[in-house]
Amino acid sequence: MEEKLKELKQQILAGLGKVNSADARRGLEIKYLGRKGELTKILRAVADLSATEKKTLGKLANDIKKEIQEKFAEVKAALEKGAKESFVDATLPGIRAEAGHRHPITILQNEIEDLFAAMGFMVLEGPELESDFYNFTALNIPPDHPARDMQDTFYVETPLNPPLSGGSLLMRTQTSPMQIRAMQKYGAPLRVVAPGRCFRSEATDVRHEHTFYQLEGLMIDRGINFSHLKAVLEESGKKLFGPETKLRLRPKYYPFVEPGANGEYSCFLCAGRGCRLCKNTGWLEVLGCGLVHPNVLRAGGLDPKKYQGFAFGYGLDRLAMLKYAINDIRLFHSGDLRFLKQF
Ligand code: DAH
């Protein structure tokens, strides 16, 4: 019986060594330690032995049983640990990748670029750090002109200041200098829009920011007149705010156009009846425009006797505020994700 016990022990240990699943382990356990298990049977037989035999064999049998039980527990723990580590719960929700959002001004800028591109305008970008010449002088605003006071300017001092040409440097206060750059580079005829960031030394509040966006437009050809300007602005208003949108132009002085005007669209919210958005006027003021001043054409290298043109400048922040019902211009540069996530 002693032989048999030892043999069985070797057999069980060898079997356990090959076990690689919980089911296989459980099978072995039942086979040897179960109620009718092989080891159990021997242990029962030990009980029927004589007192002397029981003394020697009983202890051996119990020791073997204990050892085997411990081994089974060990293998069980190892299997469970391995199962936990390699377990993949395919029913858990995945980790969602954060998608970025376009800035509301970018959305609007793209939209306006597209609608002007469809009318044959090219899209240009120019420098935010400008020279006094492009930002003012070439736009018919000479150094001592009172119109310079209309725009509080950030002047910039650099080792290159004054640069080789063009006077002192500044952060452009408007996208209008792109009119000159476009004429100089491409000549006439010309159709161009130039979106971009502008800067003014302003005290900020809900309607004023030191950094804002404009979109400049310029069309030059022979025989351009006010009706061309009106048609183009009417068309873009309809694309932006819907087919019922009307355009109203009211005289306004800008040094680089003559005549000059403020452009207003009928309020898309109340269709011109008057509401909070349009401050009960029925109209939304969103742009400046006019026929290009002969001095500006000359500064761009064109002959005003041959070529005429119209120009306009949209306030992109203002348009975005109206379109998306944003009540504080400062939100645009807040970097606040709660704001940006809405677009
Ligand atoms: N640059 C002007 C501003 O910042 C807006 C403007 C007015 C642009 C009339 C134009 C224009 O092109 O013709 O206030």
Side-chain angles (χ1 to χ4, degrees), residues 19-29 75-76 79-80 83:
V19 147
N20 55 12
S21 75
D23 284 345
R25 192 207 66 93
R26 183 84 190 120
L28 273 190
E29 196 172 36
V75 171
K76 186 176 184 197
L79 283 171
E80 277 170 2

PDB file of all heavy atoms in Angstrom, residues 19-29 75-76 79-80 83:
ATOM      1  N   VAL A  19      -1.343  20.541 -16.383  1.00  0.00           N
ATOM      2  CA  VAL A  19      -2.646  21.208 -16.430  1.00  0.00           C
ATOM      3  C   VAL A  19      -2.522  22.655 -16.913  1.00  0.00           C
ATOM      4  O   VAL A  19      -1.632  23.368 -16.482  1.00  0.00           O
ATOM      5  CB  VAL A  19      -3.280  21.166 -15.022  1.00  0.00           C
ATOM      6  CG1 VAL A  19      -4.107  22.395 -14.776  1.00  0.00           C
ATOM      7  CG2 VAL A  19      -4.125  19.910 -14.882  1.00  0.00           C
ATOM      8  N   ASN A  20      -3.376  23.051 -17.876  1.00  0.00           N
ATOM      9  CA  ASN A  20      -3.292  24.447 -18.322  1.00  0.00           C
ATOM     10  C   ASN A  20      -4.659  25.133 -18.386  1.00  0.00           C
ATOM     11  O   ASN A  20      -4.811  26.177 -18.978  1.00  0.00           O
ATOM     12  CB  ASN A  20      -2.594  24.533 -19.684  1.00  0.00           C
ATOM     13  CG  ASN A  20      -3.284  23.644 -20.705  1.00  0.00           C
ATOM     14  OD1 ASN A  20      -4.381  23.145 -20.458  1.00  0.00           O
ATOM     15  ND2 ASN A  20      -2.653  23.437 -21.851  1.00  0.00           N
ATOM     16  N   SER A  21      -5.651  24.508 -17.780  1.00  0.00           N
ATOM     17  CA  SER A  21      -6.941  25.203 -17.727  1.00  0.00           C
ATOM     18  C   SER A  21      -7.645  24.835 -16.427  1.00  0.00           C
ATOM     19  O   SER A  21      -7.334  23.813 -15.800  1.00  0.00           O
ATOM     20  CB  SER A  21      -7.815  24.788 -18.916  1.00  0.00           C
ATOM     21  OG  SER A  21      -8.321  23.492 -18.700  1.00  0.00           O
ATOM     22  N   ALA A  22      -8.569  25.664 -16.034  1.00  0.00           N
ATOM     23  CA  ALA A  22      -9.304  25.456 -14.785  1.00  0.00           C
ATOM     24  C   ALA A  22     -10.099  24.154 -14.869  1.00  0.00           C
ATOM     25  O   ALA A  22     -10.178  23.409 -13.896  1.00  0.00           O
ATOM     26  CB  ALA A  22     -10.228  26.639 -14.527  1.00  0.00           C
ATOM     27  N   ASP A  23     -10.640  23.873 -16.067  1.00  0.00           N
ATOM     28  CA  ASP A  23     -11.436  22.655 -16.223  1.00  0.00           C
ATOM     29  C   ASP A  23     -10.574  21.404 -16.044  1.00  0.00           C
ATOM     30  O   ASP A  23     -10.973  20.444 -15.374  1.00  0.00           O
ATOM     31  CB  ASP A  23     -12.088  22.628 -17.612  1.00  0.00           C
ATOM     32  CG  ASP A  23     -13.279  23.585 -17.666  1.00  0.00           C
ATOM     33  OD1 ASP A  23     -13.729  24.008 -16.573  1.00  0.00           O
ATOM     34  OD2 ASP A  23     -13.746  23.891 -18.777  1.00  0.00           O
ATOM     35  N   ALA A  24      -9.380  21.410 -16.657  1.00  0.00           N
ATOM     36  CA  ALA A  24      -8.483  20.261 -16.552  1.00  0.00           C
ATOM     37  C   ALA A  24      -8.085  20.029 -15.092  1.00  0.00           C
ATOM     38  O   ALA A  24      -8.014  18.894 -14.615  1.00  0.00           O
ATOM     39  CB  ALA A  24      -7.241  20.499 -17.417  1.00  0.00           C
ATOM     40  N   ARG A  25      -7.844  21.152 -14.392  1.00  0.00           N
ATOM     41  CA  ARG A  25      -7.455  21.049 -12.987  1.00  0.00           C
ATOM     42  C   ARG A  25      -8.587  20.431 -12.172  1.00  0.00           C
ATOM     43  O   ARG A  25      -8.395  19.535 -11.360  1.00  0.00           O
ATOM     44  CB  ARG A  25      -7.107  22.435 -12.441  1.00  0.00           C
ATOM     45  CG  ARG A  25      -6.403  22.409 -11.081  1.00  0.00           C
ATOM     46  CD  ARG A  25      -6.657  23.688 -10.305  1.00  0.00           C
ATOM     47  NE  ARG A  25      -8.062  23.789  -9.939  1.00  0.00           N
ATOM     48  CZ  ARG A  25      -8.542  23.358  -8.769  1.00  0.00           C
ATOM     49  NH1 ARG A  25      -7.752  22.814  -7.869  1.00  0.00           N
ATOM     50  NH2 ARG A  25      -9.837  23.453  -8.517  1.00  0.00           N
ATOM     51  N   ARG A  26      -9.781  20.952 -12.430  1.00  0.00           N
ATOM     52  CA  ARG A  26     -10.956  20.456 -11.706  1.00  0.00           C
ATOM     53  C   ARG A  26     -11.166  18.953 -11.979  1.00  0.00           C
ATOM     54  O   ARG A  26     -11.479  18.176 -11.074  1.00  0.00           O
ATOM     55  CB  ARG A  26     -12.185  21.270 -12.161  1.00  0.00           C
ATOM     56  CG  ARG A  26     -13.481  20.926 -11.457  1.00  0.00           C
ATOM     57  CD  ARG A  26     -13.627  21.652 -10.139  1.00  0.00           C
ATOM     58  NE  ARG A  26     -14.762  21.100  -9.396  1.00  0.00           N
ATOM     59  CZ  ARG A  26     -14.691  20.529  -8.200  1.00  0.00           C
ATOM     60  NH1 ARG A  26     -13.543  20.440  -7.566  1.00  0.00           N
ATOM     61  NH2 ARG A  26     -15.779  20.061  -7.613  1.00  0.00           N
ATOM     62  N   GLY A  27     -10.934  18.539 -13.225  1.00  0.00           N
ATOM     63  CA  GLY A  27     -11.082  17.130 -13.616  1.00  0.00           C
ATOM     64  C   GLY A  27     -10.148  16.231 -12.799  1.00  0.00           C
ATOM     65  O   GLY A  27     -10.561  15.187 -12.274  1.00  0.00           O
ATOM     66  N   LEU A  28      -8.884  16.707 -12.697  1.00  0.00           N
ATOM     67  CA  LEU A  28      -7.896  15.933 -11.929  1.00  0.00           C
ATOM     68  C   LEU A  28      -8.299  15.849 -10.469  1.00  0.00           C
ATOM     69  O   LEU A  28      -8.184  14.801  -9.827  1.00  0.00           O
ATOM     70  CB  LEU A  28      -6.524  16.607 -12.033  1.00  0.00           C
ATOM     71  CG  LEU A  28      -5.625  16.242 -13.209  1.00  0.00           C
ATOM     72  CD1 LEU A  28      -4.230  16.827 -12.981  1.00  0.00           C
ATOM     73  CD2 LEU A  28      -5.549  14.727 -13.389  1.00  0.00           C
ATOM     74  N   GLU A  29      -8.811  16.972  -9.960  1.00  0.00           N
ATOM     75  CA  GLU A  29      -9.175  17.032  -8.549  1.00  0.00           C
ATOM     76  C   GLU A  29     -10.253  15.990  -8.256  1.00  0.00           C
ATOM     77  O   GLU A  29     -10.190  15.255  -7.258  1.00  0.00           O
ATOM     78  CB  GLU A  29      -9.661  18.432  -8.195  1.00  0.00           C
ATOM     79  CG  GLU A  29      -9.696  18.708  -6.691  1.00  0.00           C
ATOM     80  CD  GLU A  29     -10.003  20.173  -6.374  1.00  0.00           C
ATOM     81  OE1 GLU A  29     -10.807  20.787  -7.114  1.00  0.00           O
ATOM     82  OE2 GLU A  29      -9.444  20.681  -5.406  1.00  0.00           O
ATOM     83  N   VAL A  75      -1.950  25.469  -7.948  1.00  0.00           N
ATOM     84  CA  VAL A  75      -2.225  25.510  -9.393  1.00  0.00           C
ATOM     85  C   VAL A  75      -3.490  26.338  -9.667  1.00  0.00           C
ATOM     86  O   VAL A  75      -3.555  27.124 -10.613  1.00  0.00           O
ATOM     87  CB  VAL A  75      -2.367  24.075  -9.955  1.00  0.00           C
ATOM     88  CG1 VAL A  75      -2.874  24.114 -11.394  1.00  0.00           C
ATOM     89  CG2 VAL A  75      -1.033  23.355  -9.876  1.00  0.00           C
ATOM     90  N   LYS A  76      -4.473  26.203  -8.771  1.00  0.00           N
ATOM     91  CA  LYS A  76      -5.716  26.954  -8.945  1.00  0.00           C
ATOM     92  C   LYS A  76      -5.439  28.466  -8.912  1.00  0.00           C
ATOM     93  O   LYS A  76      -5.878  29.220  -9.785  1.00  0.00           O
ATOM     94  CB  LYS A  76      -6.697  26.582  -7.826  1.00  0.00           C
ATOM     95  CG  LYS A  76      -8.057  27.210  -8.016  1.00  0.00           C
ATOM     96  CD  LYS A  76      -9.018  26.746  -6.936  1.00  0.00           C
ATOM     97  CE  LYS A  76     -10.400  27.315  -7.222  1.00  0.00           C
ATOM     98  NZ  LYS A  76     -11.253  27.262  -6.057  1.00  0.00           N
ATOM     99  N   LEU A  79      -3.642  29.609 -12.042  1.00  0.00           N
ATOM    100  CA  LEU A  79      -4.546  29.683 -13.201  1.00  0.00           C
ATOM    101  C   LEU A  79      -5.440  30.912 -13.136  1.00  0.00           C
ATOM    102  O   LEU A  79      -5.644  31.615 -14.134  1.00  0.00           O
ATOM    103  CB  LEU A  79      -5.423  28.419 -13.269  1.00  0.00           C
ATOM    104  CG  LEU A  79      -4.736  27.164 -13.794  1.00  0.00           C
ATOM    105  CD1 LEU A  79      -5.635  25.945 -13.604  1.00  0.00           C
ATOM    106  CD2 LEU A  79      -4.370  27.329 -15.268  1.00  0.00           C
ATOM    107  N   GLU A  80      -5.956  31.211 -11.950  1.00  0.00           N
ATOM    108  CA  GLU A  80      -6.841  32.370 -11.804  1.00  0.00           C
ATOM    109  C   GLU A  80      -6.114  33.676 -12.073  1.00  0.00           C
ATOM    110  O   GLU A  80      -6.647  34.593 -12.691  1.00  0.00           O
ATOM    111  CB  GLU A  80      -7.446  32.385 -10.388  1.00  0.00           C
ATOM    112  CG  GLU A  80      -8.669  31.482 -10.289  1.00  0.00           C
ATOM    113  CD  GLU A  80      -9.146  31.276  -8.870  1.00  0.00           C
ATOM    114  OE1 GLU A  80      -8.551  31.860  -7.945  1.00  0.00           O
ATOM    115  OE2 GLU A  80     -10.116  30.509  -8.707  1.00  0.00           O
ATOM    116  N   ALA A  83      -5.589  34.052 -15.736  1.00  0.00           N
ATOM    117  CA  ALA A  83      -6.861  34.360 -16.411  1.00  0.00           C
ATOM    118  C   ALA A  83      -7.196  35.839 -16.253  1.00  0.00           C
ATOM    119  O   ALA A  83      -7.625  36.503 -17.195  1.00  0.00           O
ATOM    120  CB  ALA A  83      -7.962  33.492 -15.811  1.00  0.00           C
TER     121      ALA A  83
END
